């Protein structure tokens, strides 16, 4: 298996930590931007006990302790230089500060800066490196390129309320819109996908998953009609990084992830 280097942003989040651990278990190099390396290591232990003390796992982990918005452009260029993939699992904290106070465009601003850093590295290199960019979204974010089934009136009303009253949802929509504006012909060496999990659940180690080209259920359908464990969402991301055939199938698209029952 080819050894890759992946930058993970949002690595201490509920899904990001799974991405980090799965990559390390596959003996891949991981760079992580985190506020606290200790918190990340502790979160890895929560998934797999004693993993943080296993040198066969953590020896390939390189952490930068910072908030991504506090890093300068040159620092982001250094962190993305030499990366085969960048995974963004950033999200807003589900409390009053995270929902309603700045930074309200955390995800879009971070994605935009990461794209700029990657392209700056590509433009300054004699040998351009192809980079995969994976953004974690949700199936409540419509594909700006079209292709999703039209939502019901009730669903559209709910999404409209979220868009206007809950900044995180609008931020995720803006981030997706920015990414899909990056067409293959503009830069064939920077490829992207937006992974849209259906109803997320934290419990479960994850086994198998399915990818769909569009949402498979109503927003009101509930978990009985499909869920996505965070472990499986992370597995889909890691599989795309390591399996070029899977990547080629879903690049420049916004697949929806469901657990395979």
């Amino acid at each position: 298996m080819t050894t890759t280097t992946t930058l993970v942003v949002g690595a201490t989040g509920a899904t990001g930590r799974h991405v980090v651990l799965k990559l390390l278990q596959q003996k891949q190099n991981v760079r992580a931007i985190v506020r606290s390396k200790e918190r990340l290591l502790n979160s890895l232990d929560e998934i797999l006990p004693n993993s943080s003390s296993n040198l066969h796992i953590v020896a390939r982990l390189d952490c930068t302790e910072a908030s991504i918005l506090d890093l300068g452009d040159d620092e982001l260029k250094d962190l993305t230089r030499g990366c085969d993939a960048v995974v963004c699992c950033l999200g807003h904290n589900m409390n009053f500060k995270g929902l309603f106070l700045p930074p309200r465009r955390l995800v879009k601003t971070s994605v935009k800066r990461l794209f700029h850093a990657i392209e700056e590295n590509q433009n300054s290199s004699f040998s351009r490196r192809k980079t995969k960019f994976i953004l974690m979204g949700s199936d409540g974010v419509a594909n700006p390129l079209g292709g999703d089934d039209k939502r019901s009136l009730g669903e559209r009303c709910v999404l409209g309320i979220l868009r206007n009253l809950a900044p995180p949802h609008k931020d995720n929509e803006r981030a997706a819109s920015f990414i899909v504006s990056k067409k293959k012909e503009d830069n064939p060496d920077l490829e992207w996908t937006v992974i849209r999990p259906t109803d997320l659940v934290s419990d479960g180690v994850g086994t198998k998953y399915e990818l769909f080209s569009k949402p498979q259920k109503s927003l009101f359908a509930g978990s009985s009609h499909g869920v996505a464990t965070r472990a499986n969402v992370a597995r889909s991301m890691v599989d795309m990084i390591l399996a070029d055939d899977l990547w080629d199938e879903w690049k420049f698209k916004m697949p929806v992830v469901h657990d395979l029952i």
Side-chain angles (χ1 to χ4, degrees), residues 112-160:
K112 189 174 181 179
R113 295 191 66 211
L114 287 166
F115 261 73
H116 179 72
I118 294 167
E119 291 180 319
E120 283 286 298
N121 283 325
Q122 291 175 333
N123 292 335
S124 62
S125 174
F126 291 106
S127 177
R128 290 174 64 93
R129 176 186 293 267
K130 180 167 289 188
T131 305
K132 300 175 179 179
F133 193 102
I134 300 175
L135 173 66
M136 179 177 170
S138 78
D139 68 351
V141 174
N143 187 341
L145 297 176
D148 290 356
D149 293 335
K150 186 176 180 179
R151 293 288 189 182
S152 69
L153 176 60
E155 291 174 295
R156 297 199 304 273
C157 289
V158 169
L159 290 172

Side-chain angles (χ1 to χ4, degrees), residues 182-190 252:
K182 297 294 184 177
K183 297 179 173 56
K184 179 180 179 179
E185 52 268 27
D186 295 335
N187 183 355
D189 294 320
L190 179 48
F252 302 115

Side-chain angles (χ1 to χ4, degrees), residues 55-90:
L55 292 180
H56 293 291
I57 295 178
V58 297
R60 294 179 177 271
L61 175 62
D62 181 14
C63 291
T64 296
E65 292 186 299
S67 165
I68 184 171
L69 297 185
D70 292 336
L71 293 171
D73 291 343
D74 288 340
E75 291 172 300
L76 278 183
K77 282 180 61 178
D78 289 341
L79 286 168
T80 56
R81 185 176 294 117
C83 285
D84 300 283
V86 175
V87 177
C88 181
C89 293
L90 280 175

Side-chain angles (χ1 to χ4, degrees), residues 79-105:
L79 286 168
T80 56
R81 185 176 294 117
C83 285
D84 300 283
V86 175
V87 177
C88 181
C89 293
L90 280 175
H92 295 253
N93 292 325
M94 291 297 103
N95 53 35
F96 182 84
K97 180 179 179 181
L99 288 171
F100 300 109
L101 298 182
R104 294 190 174 186
R105 298 188 182 185

Side-chain angles (χ1 to χ4, degrees), residues 27-43:
K27 298 182 179 180
Q28 305 300 309
N29 300 320
V30 177
R31 300 174 186 171
I33 300 175
V34 293
R35 292 180 183 273
S36 168
K37 179 178 180 179
E38 181 181 6
R39 181 184 170 194
L40 173 58
L41 294 177
N42 289 339
S43 70

